[in-house]
Amino acid sequence: MISFALPPELWLHVADYLTRADFRSLIPVNRTFFDLFTPSLYSDIIIAGTGRGQILKPKASRLLEMLEKTSRLRGYVRRCMIMNLRQNRKLTSSEPTNPQVLVFAETVKEIFILVGKFPSLELVTLQRSDVPFEWIFYICSQPNISLGIVISLCSVYGPVELPSDRSFNLTSLSILTSAIRDCMPAMIHMIRLSSSLRELRLDTTWTLQDLFKKHVDNPGISLPKLEILKIYRINLDHLEFFRSTPNLVELRFKMGIKPELGSSPIPVNLLPKLRRFSGHTPSFKAFITGRPVTDIETADTTGPSSMSSLGTDDNIAFEDFSPNFGSSVDILSLKWRNCTRNQALLQYVSEQCPKIQHLDLTPTVPYTKEELEKRLQTVKGLKMLRSLRIMSLEHVPTVRNLEWERRQCEALTSEGSPQLLSVSFSSLIDWNRKIDSKTWTPSGDGLPVSEMFARSGTYGDHGYMTNLPNLAELISLQDL
């Protein structure tokens, strides 16, 4: 007989590893499982349309009926995705009284009114749908909900006049590849009235232009809590926008897009709290210099440049950087993708960023083991490093190669940073150790070495090694 006498905290930990199908199977077992797992089943819901003809899928219709009838279930919902609600837009504009149009409008209305009744709602994702802006406005203006909104691959239509004294409880807003031109003035107005907004992501140029222009025309601190801004690009005309975001700590630009910032740094009184920056090296001087940036994410560009795109000639030489890439504090984390100058970068980091703790480098071409070993000699100069990812090897994780990787990890801690706990040389294997141990243990989602050997049948003097529990046991065997 199975005992269910475990603390609820342990069952909830188990729930982190279960799927929705698992929850549906467990809930009918007994009252204990019903009470424990029902909230997990309804914490994330999907309201899916068919994208054609019949508006909602049968499963979505049944879900809405249950949520409408049971207030307790509505209280469990934390995240809601609404997807594939499509209508004939030509029919909407030419025949607004057409029955299909009216049914669609009524269905969308019922869905959003119900979503507005979820008292614990944290995030609404709209995906591949046609959505009247009035209903986005409706759920964002609910007084007891602090909400994040993601609008992806949607068509948002129907301008709405927003009252000037209305406030919104938006905590985050992402607009991704969506058509919102019709309601742009109302959308910008809603953003400006969202005093609790902490994260904003906009990936289209015209959205940014309208937003920046609105802020320039109405100066002042309108987004006092905004901490994270992810945008497509920026130019000199838009810099005044940052006067409205005095508490911004993370700024991310779309990689490969050429900024139009000139050659001078932005005044330091703008973005005084910036800690994390993501963008290409031509933007470093403008946004990193003189600011307390500790985390940088960037990438080299290859190929020719154009009016709007960066190219090889736009990669800034390392000798042009001051210590810590111009930051007023020590750089602690650096992530560099598609690096064309990896040896020069490692030398610069070793000399100019000595207190770096996390280094993540992906070269444009893979290394041989000899090339990687040479670069690791430079890395050993970083005495405070805690994690290292140089994703450069493409070799098969055989016993011999794993043993070689293990020796490099040991050398990095004995000759370099004693604080190093995590190392990766490829996408197949990760190496980790505990702070009080010198033993490096491999793991990873790549092809298990034991399984690979089992298929190949090549084992030298060890015979057929099957059922090995993990890679750690495998590399402990004598090298082939």
Side-chain angles (χ1 to χ4, degrees):
M1 180 177 179
I2 299 176
S3 172
F4 300 100
L6 288 177
E9 294 80 3
L10 289 181
W11 286 118
L12 292 177
H13 181 68
V14 170
D16 293 337
Y17 299 89
L18 302 180
T19 65
R20 294 183 62 83
D22 295 329
F23 293 136
R24 284 194 290 267
S25 298
L26 288 170
I27 285 172
V29 170
N30 58 29
R31 185 69 189 184
T32 299
F33 279 6
F34 180 87
D35 292 338
L36 282 171
F37 297 130
T38 298
S40 298
L41 179 62
Y42 288 94
S43 63
D44 294 73
I45 66 170
I46 298 176
I47 302 172
T50 61
R52 62 189 184 278
Q54 184 181 0
I55 299 173
L56 289 176
K57 291 185 176 180
K59 186 182 295 186
S61 297
R62 292 194 297 270
L63 173 63
L64 292 177
E65 290 178 6
M66 292 178 62
L67 292 170
E68 184 66 51
K69 293 178 180 178
T70 312
S71 60
R72 178 173 53 84
L73 296 182
R74 295 198 295 269
Y76 296 147
V77 179
R78 300 290 187 273
R79 290 164 292 274
C80 174
M81 174 180 284
I82 301 172
M83 61 186 297
N84 293 337
L85 293 181
R86 292 294 192 187
Q87 67 170 329
N88 188 327
R89 294 299 306 278
K90 292 183 179 179
L91 193 63
T92 304
S93 57
S94 61
E95 300 181 42
T97 59
N98 184 287
Q100 294 183 26
V101 174
L102 296 177
V103 169
F104 180 87
E106 187 63 26
T107 301
V108 171
K109 175 182 176 181
E110 291 175 357
I111 290 173
F112 278 88
I113 288 178
L114 178 60
V115 170
K117 296 178 182 178
F118 299 156
S120 302
L121 191 63
E122 299 171 358
L123 178 67
V124 173
T125 300
L126 307 175
Q127 189 175 83
R128 297 192 300 273
S129 295
D130 298 327
V131 183
F133 180 71
E134 63 176 307
W135 296 115
I136 297 178
F137 162 75
Y138 173 80
I139 59 173
C140 290
S141 60
Q142 296 303 301
N144 299 319
I145 299 177
S146 295
L147 191 63
I149 299 284
V150 177
I151 304 173
S152 177
L153 301 172
C154 289
S155 175
V156 183
Y157 57 94
V160 175
E161 292 294 330
L162 301 184
S164 59
D165 59 345
R166 175 65 63 90
S167 62
F168 298 89
N169 294 322
L170 268 178
T171 57
S172 65
L173 174 64
S174 298
I175 303 176
L176 313 174
T177 321
S178 294
I180 60 173
R181 172 63 75 179
D182 291 347
C183 59
M184 178 53 61
M187 182 72 75
I188 298 301
H189 190 55
M190 188 174 73
I191 292 174
R192 285 179 54 80
L193 295 177
S194 300
S195 58
S196 59
L197 190 66
R198 294 184 180 276
E199 181 175 350
L200 178 61
R201 180 179 178 185
L202 305 171
D203 72 345
T204 54
T205 303
W206 51 265
T207 310
L208 290 172
Q209 290 174 344
D210 287 352
L211 176 61
F212 293 152
K213 185 177 185 302
K214 188 70 173 179
H215 277 279
V216 171
D217 294 342
N218 300 272
I221 300 175
S222 58
L223 296 172
K225 294 185 179 180
L226 191 69
E227 297 179 351
I228 302 172
L229 179 63
K230 303 177 183 180
I231 53 179
Y232 187 76
R233 63 185 290 178
I234 197 171
N235 59 43
L236 286 171
D237 297 335
H238 300 151
L239 295 183
E240 287 298 312
F241 165 78
F242 292 117
R243 296 193 184 280
S244 67
T245 61
N247 293 305
L248 198 71
V249 296
E250 181 176 337
L251 178 61
R252 305 179 70 87
F253 292 111
K254 184 177 176 64
M255 292 293 182
I257 304 301
K258 183 175 292 186
E260 300 174 4
L261 298 170
S263 58
S264 301
I266 296 173
V268 179
N269 64 336
L270 298 178
L271 303 174
K273 298 181 180 180
L274 191 66
R275 306 286 292 181
R276 299 183 293 275
F277 178 78
S278 176
H280 277 292
T281 54
S283 303
F284 280 20
K285 187 174 183 180
F287 291 102
I288 296 179
T289 299
R291 292 181 176 79
V293 175
T294 60
D295 296 18
I296 296 175
E297 182 175 343
T298 187
D300 281 343
T301 51
T302 58
S305 61
S306 65
M307 292 293 292
S308 60
S309 300
L310 295 165
T312 303
D313 295 340
D314 295 303
N315 296 324
I316 306 299
F318 294 111
E319 54 265 26
D320 295 336
F321 289 119
S322 54
N324 291 298
F325 296 100
S327 174
S328 62
V329 298
D330 292 309
I331 295 297
L332 302 180
S333 177
L334 177 64
K335 186 175 183 178
W336 204 296
R337 290 284 175 261
N338 201 36
C339 186
T340 59
R341 307 157 292 163
N342 44 82
Q343 183 62 57
L345 171 62
L346 291 173
Q347 193 65 44
Y348 171 85
V349 170
S350 178
E351 296 173 356
Q352 305 294 344
C353 306
K355 295 186 179 181
I356 195 167
Q357 298 177 2
H358 308 282
L359 179 59
D360 188 337
L361 165 65
T362 304
T364 52
V365 294
Y367 299 156
T368 63
K369 289 193 289 188
E370 292 73 19
E371 290 172 332
L372 176 58
E373 196 164 4
K374 179 180 178 181
R375 285 158 176 78
L376 292 180
Q377 292 300 318
T378 305
V379 173
K380 292 174 183 177
L382 300 171
K383 303 300 183 181
M384 300 183 69
L385 201 63
R386 297 182 181 180
S387 68
L388 172 67
R389 290 172 60 87
I390 301 185
M391 312 299 282
S392 57
L393 294 180
E394 291 185 342
H395 62 202
V396 175
T398 62
V399 173
R400 181 178 288 108
N401 287 335
L402 287 176
E403 177 63 21
W404 180 89
E405 290 189 21
R406 182 180 61 79
R407 290 197 299 269
Q408 303 311 311
C409 294
E410 292 174 346
L412 285 169
T413 49
S414 61
E415 303 173 29
S417 171
Q419 303 176 60
L420 189 63
L421 300 176
S422 176
V423 176
S424 298
F425 300 127
S426 73
S427 60
L428 294 176
I429 301 296
D430 299 319
W431 293 87
N432 297 279
R433 72 178 182 94
K434 296 181 179 180
I435 189 65
D436 57 349
S437 172
K438 295 183 179 180
T439 303
W440 285 92
T441 303
S443 62
D445 297 328
L447 183 67
V449 176
S450 57
E451 182 181 333
M452 179 188 69
F453 282 169
R455 287 200 298 266
S456 67
T458 55
Y459 302 93
D461 296 332
H462 297 298
Y464 286 87
M465 302 181 295
T466 60
N467 300 320
L468 290 176
N470 53 49
L471 294 177
E473 180 177 339
L474 182 61
I475 68 166
S476 67
L477 299 172
Q478 180 181 351
D479 194 7
L480 295 177

